[in-house]
Amino acid sequence: MDDLSTKPLSAAQLAETEFDLKAAREEVVERLRNQMLFAEKALAALLLANGGALIGLFTFIGNVVGKADAPLKFSTGHLWGGFACFSLGVALVLITHLFAFFSQLAFYNQAANEMWRHQRTLSNGALDRDQTEEAKFHARGNRSMKVGILTLSASLICFVLGAGLSLAGVLPA
């Protein structure tokens, strides 16, 4: 669908479009920077929570089991449940990271399409209002973001359940 206006741009429209083009270019760069930062921080923080819980639980059990006079007994079912929850939490973190990447990629494509639309306006000397591609990538980015939020929430739930099951698995002797 070609939505180009046939009227030439006024000086004010030309100036506004040049400003919009510059802003869109800056947003493309910023989206890419945000994508990389989000990926690094989210992966590190969430893997630390669930992965650290797994390591901590293994270490705790190893220290207590090694002592003959340990004042604790273990509920194997609860502990396996805790391990399973923490492991699933790690997997969900990785899935969240993937959907965060897809979300930012779609928003990057939206911003790039906006930039190209402004560039077409300047090249053609007529206002290009066709935002079809931008809307498509915006919707895709929102869908990926929502799935990422759901998997992130599920990962946090796994962490809480894993902590509860692990605590219930360690009983006084």
Side-chain angles (χ1 to χ4, degrees), residues 70-85:
L72 300 173
K73 64 180 185 170
F74 297 104
S75 168
T76 308
H78 284 102
L79 290 176
W80 276 110
F83 285 125
C85 284

Side-chain angles (χ1 to χ4, degrees), residues 15-34:
E16 183 178 353
T17 302
E18 286 174 346
F19 177 79
D20 289 344
L21 176 59
K22 182 181 181 213
R25 283 183 178 151
E26 291 171 0
E27 185 176 356
V28 166
V29 171
E30 188 62 27
R31 288 281 179 191
L32 184 57
R33 186 177 297 120
N34 287 343

